[in-house]
Amino acid sequence: MSRWVACFSGALGWEASERRYQLPPPRRGSALGREKTREPTPTILGFFKGMSFPIASIAVVNSVLFGVYSNALLALTATSHHERRLQPPSYTHVFIAGCTGGFLQAYCLAPFDLIKVRLQNQTEPRARQGGPPPRYRGPVHCAASIFQEEGPRGLFRGAWALTLRDTPTLGIYFVSYEWLCRQATPGGQNPSSTTVLVAGGFAGITSWVTATPLDVIKSRMQMAGLEQREYQGLLDCMVSSARQEGLGVFFRGLTINSARAFPVNAVTFLSYEYLLHLWG
């Protein structure tokens, strides 16, 4: 049970502004284009759109990621978490375990992530007397609407981009963390809390540097059904985006992703190490 630890992370509200920045300009007559003509009154709550749903699902998502990672590493090395400081696993084993966790996490995460992105990019104001109602009234209504309008496959829009993003990225994520911890910790000792915080933060930044291009593509494919913008697939979305907006489009949101990644992943890894030590 100790290996299936849920690591909670904060600062989720930053994602709303980052997701909108990653999306292409809306077409005239599209759903997002029609929303803009309504000129909703800006409020600080806009930065927290779609936040309640990730908070509710983050325990499941991170439990899958860290649980699969720990158990895959145990299967590859046959050493417990405490023994790994005396017999450190190879970086190859860490990478494989991280990729395994990333792959399975992406499979579980895809519908949750789609609903989160749709809610974050919904620009109608909350329902007011005499005003237009929001397209989605909440996560459950969003999921039901997508299922009804786009079919079961609609809930997995962008899933391939998400899988391609998370599988190698989370391998790099765990390798970066392990390498930084080993560099700052004498052999056979547990890393200090400061080391874990710094290593976790920089591992998060490293992973987003590699993940952002596919994160942009994932967000665009997830919004395609709402924008009435059809992509023939992952490659078509990449080519169309680069042709219309240049190669720089693949790094939109990198700055805000990196700024969010350091504190979130620092706390995530500190929680992970503490709970494994407590329950190990």
Side-chain angles (χ1 to χ4, degrees), residues 50-71:
M51 185 174 175
S52 59
F53 195 55
I55 289 176
S57 61
I58 194 68
V60 175
V61 171
N62 277 340
S63 291
V64 170
L65 171 60
F66 284 89
V68 171
Y69 167 74
S70 292
N71 281 278

Side-chain angles (χ1 to χ4, degrees), residues 166-209:
D166 283 357
T167 301
T169 293
L170 288 167
I172 295 170
Y173 176 66
F174 285 106
V175 168
S176 301
Y177 172 74
E178 283 291 328
W179 183 82
L180 289 167
C181 282
R182 293 181 195 180
Q183 295 302 306
T185 306
Q189 296 185 21
N190 291 321
S192 66
S193 296
T194 301
T195 297
V196 170
L197 285 169
V198 173
F202 278 108
I205 292 175
T206 301
S207 67
W208 272 113
V209 169

